[in-house]
Amino acid sequence: MAKIKITQKRSSIKRPQRQKRTLQALGLKKINHSVEHEVNPQIEGMIRKVNHLIEVEKV
């Protein structure tokens, strides 16, 4: 499976609770924090919901 690196680039302050929970589910805690995930439909859906707060790159 392919892997992707997700980095939080914008703050979750003043964001809807649903977006904050999505960032937590991805494992992101603060700005410039990065995590790696396997690509699957669930992760892709989460990325689409918060794509304005994160940066995604292939590993």
Side-chain angles (χ1 to χ4, degrees):
M1 275 259 191
K3 285 197 148 204
I4 53 173
K5 181 178 178 182
I6 305 168
T7 306
Q8 184 175 346
K9 288 298 181 181
R10 298 194 65 195
S11 175
S12 62
I13 296 173
K14 291 191 177 180
R15 301 291 173 190
Q17 191 66 35
R18 189 169 182 166
Q19 291 178 6
K20 290 180 185 182
R21 287 192 196 129
T22 302
L23 289 173
Q24 282 180 334
L26 286 169
L28 297 168
K29 300 175 195 273
K30 56 186 179 179
I31 296 176
N32 290 324
H33 184 239
S34 297
V35 293
E36 287 187 9
H37 285 287
E38 296 277 338
V39 178
N40 62 42
Q42 293 81 13
I43 297 295
E44 289 175 348
M46 286 189 244
I47 289 171
R48 274 195 298 274
K49 292 294 183 181
V50 294
N51 65 353
H52 57 288
L53 301 176
I54 61 175
E55 185 176 276
V56 181
E57 56 187 80
K58 294 183 180 182
V59 177

